[in-house]
């Protein structure tokens, strides 16, 4: 960690609540956006984010994976591609391993996402057509705002759609987040 933490980043966290960590982190990310998406400032912020999530799990008395919504106790390894002695064959082998693992992890996340989306569509049973409409509205918002849409906002939209039989609350939620949909 660098001097950035004590001089610039840390003061933005003073007086904030651990329960508001996602919003606080988003505010800090926006504040340091001008420093770019890589470098010491972002690395320091990443370390703080990890620490906040671990602290939140500890305070809640649950494992971090459970706080993040996972159900498994095992995770695949992440391959950080360091020099490997400047041996091109070894670098290639490591890249292949990382690519295969990344594919497995991304495929698992896609299947988990699809399961959640299918729950949205099936969640209404007798009101399937309204659920399908909410699904289309949600996907339109995702398509239109994919670069700006954050996971907590998407989770809120999904939960609102699931809890809203007529679709009015979903529209209000989209409006509250200034998200427009096509058509």
């Amino acid at each position: 960690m660098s001097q950035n933490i004590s001089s610039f980043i840390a003061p933005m966290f003073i007086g904030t609540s651990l329960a508001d960590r996602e919003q606080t982190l988003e505010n800090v990310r926006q504040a340091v956006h001008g420093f770019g998406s890589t470098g010491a400032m972002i690395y320091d912020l990443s370390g703080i984010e990890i620490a906040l999530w671990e602290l939140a799990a500890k305070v809640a008395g649950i494992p971090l994976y459970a706080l993040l919504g996972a159900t498994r106790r095992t995770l695949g390894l992440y391959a950080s591609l360091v020099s490997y002695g400047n041996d091109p064959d070894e670098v290639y082998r490591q890249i292949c391993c990382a690519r295969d693992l990344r594919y497995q992890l991304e495929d698992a996340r896609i299947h988990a996402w699809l399961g959640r989306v299918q729950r949205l569509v099936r969640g209404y049973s007798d009101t399937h057509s309204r659920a399908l409409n909410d699904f289309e509205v949600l996907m339109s918002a995702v398509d239109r705002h994919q670069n700006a849409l954050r996971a907590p906002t998407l989770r809120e939209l999904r939960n609102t759609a699931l809890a809203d039989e007529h679709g009015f609350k979903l529209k209000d939620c989209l409006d509250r987040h200034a998200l427009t949909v096509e058509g």
Side-chain angles (χ1 to χ4, degrees):
M1 301 276 171
S2 72
Q3 190 70 12
N4 296 324
I5 291 178
S6 59
S7 63
F8 188 72
I9 296 176
M12 289 187 260
F13 287 92
I14 294 173
T16 64
S17 169
L18 184 60
D20 298 329
R21 70 189 164 281
E22 289 183 56
Q23 184 59 53
T24 302
L25 284 162
E26 181 59 27
N27 293 344
V28 174
R29 273 190 214 96
Q30 289 177 5
V32 301
H33 177 74
F35 293 100
S37 61
T38 187
M41 191 73 71
I42 295 300
Y43 300 151
D44 291 349
L45 185 55
S46 295
I48 292 171
E49 183 171 8
I50 291 167
L52 288 174
W53 279 102
E54 289 178 352
L55 181 60
K58 189 172 191 169
V59 167
I62 59 175
L64 180 57
Y65 74 87
L67 181 67
L68 295 173
T71 57
R72 298 181 350 174
R73 289 191 171 268
T74 59
L75 297 173
L77 299 176
Y78 173 78
S80 180
L81 298 174
V82 295
S83 168
Y84 297 107
N86 293 325
D87 177 356
D89 293 331
E90 180 62 14
V91 171
Y92 176 77
R93 192 178 77 68
Q94 294 295 332
I95 289 171
C96 289
C97 289
R99 181 200 61 216
D100 293 345
L101 178 60
R102 182 175 178 180
Y103 172 79
Q104 290 172 4
L105 293 173
E106 287 178 357
D107 191 54
R109 289 181 182 120
I110 288 168
H111 280 87
W113 166 252
L114 286 174
R116 290 182 177 120
V117 168
Q118 287 170 347
R119 187 178 132 225
L120 172 67
V121 174
R122 287 193 314 248
Y124 292 94
S125 64
D126 61 328
T127 58
H128 179 74
S129 63
R130 281 189 294 241
L132 190 54
N133 183 58
D134 283 353
F135 172 77
E136 294 297 331
V137 167
L138 241 162
M139 290 300 100
S140 178
V142 168
D143 290 343
R144 188 168 212 159
H145 303 281
Q146 61 187 340
N147 293 335
L149 197 58
R150 302 275 187 222
T153 303
L154 186 55
R155 183 173 37 250
E156 180 185 352
L157 290 167
R158 181 199 68 211
N159 292 341
T160 300
L162 285 170
D164 185 14
E165 184 176 340
H166 300 290
F168 302 125
K169 292 178 185 174
L170 177 58
K171 183 183 179 322
D172 291 344
C173 190
L174 287 164
D175 290 344
R176 187 170 61 255
H177 290 285
L179 300 172
T180 57
V181 294
E182 293 183 39

PDB file of all heavy atoms in Angstrom, residues 41-53:
ATOM      1  N   MET A  41      -3.090   4.094  -7.088  1.00  0.00           N
ATOM      2  CA  MET A  41      -4.340   4.538  -6.471  1.00  0.00           C
ATOM      3  C   MET A  41      -5.390   3.432  -6.528  1.00  0.00           C
ATOM      4  O   MET A  41      -6.046   3.127  -5.538  1.00  0.00           O
ATOM      5  CB  MET A  41      -4.839   5.799  -7.175  1.00  0.00           C
ATOM      6  CG  MET A  41      -5.975   6.475  -6.459  1.00  0.00           C
ATOM      7  SD  MET A  41      -5.489   7.321  -4.948  1.00  0.00           S
ATOM      8  CE  MET A  41      -4.572   8.694  -5.598  1.00  0.00           C
ATOM      9  N   ILE A  42      -5.552   2.814  -7.679  1.00  0.00           N
ATOM     10  CA  ILE A  42      -6.552   1.755  -7.837  1.00  0.00           C
ATOM     11  C   ILE A  42      -6.139   0.507  -7.063  1.00  0.00           C
ATOM     12  O   ILE A  42      -6.978  -0.161  -6.461  1.00  0.00           O
ATOM     13  CB  ILE A  42      -6.765   1.435  -9.335  1.00  0.00           C
ATOM     14  CG1 ILE A  42      -7.362   2.653 -10.040  1.00  0.00           C
ATOM     15  CG2 ILE A  42      -7.631   0.213  -9.531  1.00  0.00           C
ATOM     16  CD1 ILE A  42      -8.703   3.113  -9.498  1.00  0.00           C
ATOM     17  N   TYR A  43      -4.842   0.197  -7.053  1.00  0.00           N
ATOM     18  CA  TYR A  43      -4.375  -0.967  -6.296  1.00  0.00           C
ATOM     19  C   TYR A  43      -4.654  -0.774  -4.813  1.00  0.00           C
ATOM     20  O   TYR A  43      -5.088  -1.695  -4.116  1.00  0.00           O
ATOM     21  CB  TYR A  43      -2.887  -1.213  -6.529  1.00  0.00           C
ATOM     22  CG  TYR A  43      -2.519  -1.487  -7.967  1.00  0.00           C
ATOM     23  CD1 TYR A  43      -1.273  -1.152  -8.457  1.00  0.00           C
ATOM     24  CD2 TYR A  43      -3.422  -2.069  -8.857  1.00  0.00           C
ATOM     25  CE1 TYR A  43      -0.924  -1.390  -9.787  1.00  0.00           C
ATOM     26  CE2 TYR A  43      -3.090  -2.310 -10.183  1.00  0.00           C
ATOM     27  CZ  TYR A  43      -1.843  -1.973 -10.635  1.00  0.00           C
ATOM     28  OH  TYR A  43      -1.505  -2.212 -11.939  1.00  0.00           O
ATOM     29  N   ASP A  44      -4.403   0.436  -4.306  1.00  0.00           N
ATOM     30  CA  ASP A  44      -4.680   0.721  -2.909  1.00  0.00           C
ATOM     31  C   ASP A  44      -6.177   0.590  -2.618  1.00  0.00           C
ATOM     32  O   ASP A  44      -6.580   0.004  -1.612  1.00  0.00           O
ATOM     33  CB  ASP A  44      -4.210   2.136  -2.541  1.00  0.00           C
ATOM     34  CG  ASP A  44      -2.696   2.268  -2.551  1.00  0.00           C
ATOM     35  OD1 ASP A  44      -2.006   1.232  -2.631  1.00  0.00           O
ATOM     36  OD2 ASP A  44      -2.217   3.405  -2.490  1.00  0.00           O
ATOM     37  N   LEU A  45      -6.994   1.128  -3.500  1.00  0.00           N
ATOM     38  CA  LEU A  45      -8.438   1.058  -3.317  1.00  0.00           C
ATOM     39  C   LEU A  45      -8.908  -0.399  -3.352  1.00  0.00           C
ATOM     40  O   LEU A  45      -9.782  -0.793  -2.576  1.00  0.00           O
ATOM     41  CB  LEU A  45      -9.159   1.884  -4.382  1.00  0.00           C
ATOM     42  CG  LEU A  45     -10.671   1.987  -4.244  1.00  0.00           C
ATOM     43  CD1 LEU A  45     -11.068   2.522  -2.874  1.00  0.00           C
ATOM     44  CD2 LEU A  45     -11.235   2.875  -5.338  1.00  0.00           C
ATOM     45  N   SER A  46      -8.319  -1.202  -4.209  1.00  0.00           N
ATOM     46  CA  SER A  46      -8.682  -2.627  -4.267  1.00  0.00           C
ATOM     47  C   SER A  46      -8.376  -3.315  -2.946  1.00  0.00           C
ATOM     48  O   SER A  46      -9.167  -4.131  -2.461  1.00  0.00           O
ATOM     49  CB  SER A  46      -7.926  -3.318  -5.402  1.00  0.00           C
ATOM     50  OG  SER A  46      -8.310  -2.806  -6.638  1.00  0.00           O
ATOM     51  N   GLY A  47      -7.233  -2.995  -2.360  1.00  0.00           N
ATOM     52  CA  GLY A  47      -6.885  -3.573  -1.061  1.00  0.00           C
ATOM     53  C   GLY A  47      -7.869  -3.184   0.019  1.00  0.00           C
ATOM     54  O   GLY A  47      -8.266  -4.005   0.852  1.00  0.00           O
ATOM     55  N   ILE A  48      -8.288  -1.939   0.007  1.00  0.00           N
ATOM     56  CA  ILE A  48      -9.282  -1.475   0.980  1.00  0.00           C
ATOM     57  C   ILE A  48     -10.605  -2.189   0.757  1.00  0.00           C
ATOM     58  O   ILE A  48     -11.273  -2.611   1.703  1.00  0.00           O
ATOM     59  CB  ILE A  48      -9.457   0.058   0.890  1.00  0.00           C
ATOM     60  CG1 ILE A  48      -8.180   0.755   1.374  1.00  0.00           C
ATOM     61  CG2 ILE A  48     -10.666   0.511   1.686  1.00  0.00           C
ATOM     62  CD1 ILE A  48      -8.175   2.249   1.132  1.00  0.00           C
ATOM     63  N   GLU A  49     -11.001  -2.331  -0.496  1.00  0.00           N
ATOM     64  CA  GLU A  49     -12.272  -3.009  -0.795  1.00  0.00           C
ATOM     65  C   GLU A  49     -12.254  -4.440  -0.282  1.00  0.00           C
ATOM     66  O   GLU A  49     -13.215  -4.901   0.335  1.00  0.00           O
ATOM     67  CB  GLU A  49     -12.552  -2.978  -2.292  1.00  0.00           C
ATOM     68  CG  GLU A  49     -13.880  -3.606  -2.638  1.00  0.00           C
ATOM     69  CD  GLU A  49     -14.284  -3.390  -4.089  1.00  0.00           C
ATOM     70  OE1 GLU A  49     -13.474  -2.870  -4.883  1.00  0.00           O
ATOM     71  OE2 GLU A  49     -15.429  -3.744  -4.412  1.00  0.00           O
ATOM     72  N   ILE A  50     -11.180  -5.150  -0.518  1.00  0.00           N
ATOM     73  CA  ILE A  50     -11.064  -6.525  -0.025  1.00  0.00           C
ATOM     74  C   ILE A  50     -11.171  -6.548   1.499  1.00  0.00           C
ATOM     75  O   ILE A  50     -11.907  -7.359   2.075  1.00  0.00           O
ATOM     76  CB  ILE A  50      -9.738  -7.160  -0.498  1.00  0.00           C
ATOM     77  CG1 ILE A  50      -9.782  -7.390  -2.008  1.00  0.00           C
ATOM     78  CG2 ILE A  50      -9.470  -8.475   0.246  1.00  0.00           C
ATOM     79  CD1 ILE A  50      -8.430  -7.720  -2.623  1.00  0.00           C
ATOM     80  N   ALA A  51     -10.461  -5.625   2.144  1.00  0.00           N
ATOM     81  CA  ALA A  51     -10.497  -5.570   3.610  1.00  0.00           C
ATOM     82  C   ALA A  51     -11.907  -5.271   4.119  1.00  0.00           C
ATOM     83  O   ALA A  51     -12.359  -5.873   5.109  1.00  0.00           O
ATOM     84  CB  ALA A  51      -9.508  -4.520   4.110  1.00  0.00           C
ATOM     85  N   LEU A  52     -12.622  -4.367   3.455  1.00  0.00           N
ATOM     86  CA  LEU A  52     -13.988  -4.039   3.884  1.00  0.00           C
ATOM     87  C   LEU A  52     -14.922  -5.235   3.755  1.00  0.00           C
ATOM     88  O   LEU A  52     -15.754  -5.482   4.632  1.00  0.00           O
ATOM     89  CB  LEU A  52     -14.527  -2.852   3.080  1.00  0.00           C
ATOM     90  CG  LEU A  52     -13.918  -1.499   3.421  1.00  0.00           C
ATOM     91  CD1 LEU A  52     -14.421  -0.436   2.449  1.00  0.00           C
ATOM     92  CD2 LEU A  52     -14.229  -1.100   4.851  1.00  0.00           C
ATOM     93  N   TRP A  53     -14.817  -5.969   2.646  1.00  0.00           N
ATOM     94  CA  TRP A  53     -15.664  -7.154   2.478  1.00  0.00           C
ATOM     95  C   TRP A  53     -15.330  -8.215   3.522  1.00  0.00           C
ATOM     96  O   TRP A  53     -16.224  -8.847   4.093  1.00  0.00           O
ATOM     97  CB  TRP A  53     -15.529  -7.712   1.064  1.00  0.00           C
ATOM     98  CG  TRP A  53     -16.363  -6.954   0.088  1.00  0.00           C
ATOM     99  CD1 TRP A  53     -15.941  -6.018  -0.806  1.00  0.00           C
ATOM    100  CD2 TRP A  53     -17.781  -7.044  -0.081  1.00  0.00           C
ATOM    101  NE1 TRP A  53     -17.010  -5.521  -1.520  1.00  0.00           N
ATOM    102  CE2 TRP A  53     -18.154  -6.141  -1.090  1.00  0.00           C
ATOM    103  CE3 TRP A  53     -18.775  -7.807   0.534  1.00  0.00           C
ATOM    104  CZ2 TRP A  53     -19.465  -5.974  -1.501  1.00  0.00           C
ATOM    105  CZ3 TRP A  53     -20.091  -7.639   0.115  1.00  0.00           C
ATOM    106  CH2 TRP A  53     -20.411  -6.728  -0.882  1.00  0.00           C
TER     107      TRP A  53
END
